[in-house]
Amino acid sequence: MAKILALDYGQKRTGVAVTDDMQIIASGLKTVETKFLFDFLAEYLIKEVVETVVVGEPKQMNFQASESEVYIQEFIQKFEKKFPKIPLVRVDERFTSKMAFQTMIDSGLTKKQRQNKALVDEISATIILQSYLYNRK
């Protein structure tokens, strides 16, 4: 089986998570500066077989798209042109940042460690991927 990659896309940073080859476990991979995201993806997709890419879909509480959706749509259009054979799936990402922060607290990270926004983005991507894995069954 191939892996599934998840992205918590942001204007500055993008959190990245990936499954194991059996698509059972979601793990944080890293956080990439968004301006280098396509470089990272090109290199990663050469080394690893990825079946699907999951991208978080930010929505407001009234289910309307958030302001950041404009930037995500630009990314998606470029992604589909650059990697046309890899399907892209969207997953509602409401509350993932709050869940990621709570996960950091529950894990016993110090206040200084919890201020690491890159770690929050990576954990958010992992939560997005876990949500996708859970809901596709």
Side-chain angles (χ1 to χ4, degrees), residues 31-67:
T31 300
V32 178
E33 283 186 63
T34 300
K35 63 183 176 184
F36 300 120
L37 182 57
F38 277 102
D39 296 335
F40 166 78
L41 289 171
E43 188 176 314
Y44 187 82
L45 295 172
I46 287 170
K47 291 188 258 178
E48 301 289 341
V49 179
V50 173
E51 174 181 298
T52 304
V53 173
V54 178
V55 178
E57 185 175 12
K59 294 182 181 179
Q60 298 174 12
M61 292 306 296
N62 64 1
F63 296 98
Q64 296 292 322
S66 76
E67 301 96 35

Side-chain angles (χ1 to χ4, degrees), residues 6-17 30-38 40 55-56 68 71-72 75 93 97 104 114-125 128:
L7 304 173
D8 180 28
Y9 187 89
Q11 287 181 263
K12 294 181 182 179
R13 293 172 313 277
T14 298
V16 183
K30 69 184 307 180
T31 300
V32 178
E33 283 186 63
T34 300
K35 63 183 176 184
F36 300 120
L37 182 57
F38 277 102
F40 166 78
V55 178
S68 59
Y71 305 104
I72 296 170
F75 163 77
E93 68 169 50
S97 293
M104 294 169 81
R114 293 191 307 259
Q115 292 172 343
N116 180 351
K117 292 181 180 180
L119 183 57
V120 173
D121 293 336
E122 183 179 325
I123 294 171
S124 294
I128 290 167

Side-chain angles (χ1 to χ4, degrees), residues 101-137:
F101 191 74
Q102 187 61 49
T103 299
M104 294 169 81
I105 291 170
D106 294 345
S107 299
L109 295 179
T110 65
K111 185 175 182 179
K112 184 171 181 154
Q113 291 170 317
R114 293 191 307 259
Q115 292 172 343
N116 180 351
K117 292 181 180 180
L119 183 57
V120 173
D121 293 336
E122 183 179 325
I123 294 171
S124 294
T126 306
I127 292 169
I128 290 167
L129 184 52
Q130 286 175 328
S131 173
Y132 172 76
L133 292 173
Y134 178 79
N135 287 319
R136 76 177 180 162
K137 291 183 179 180

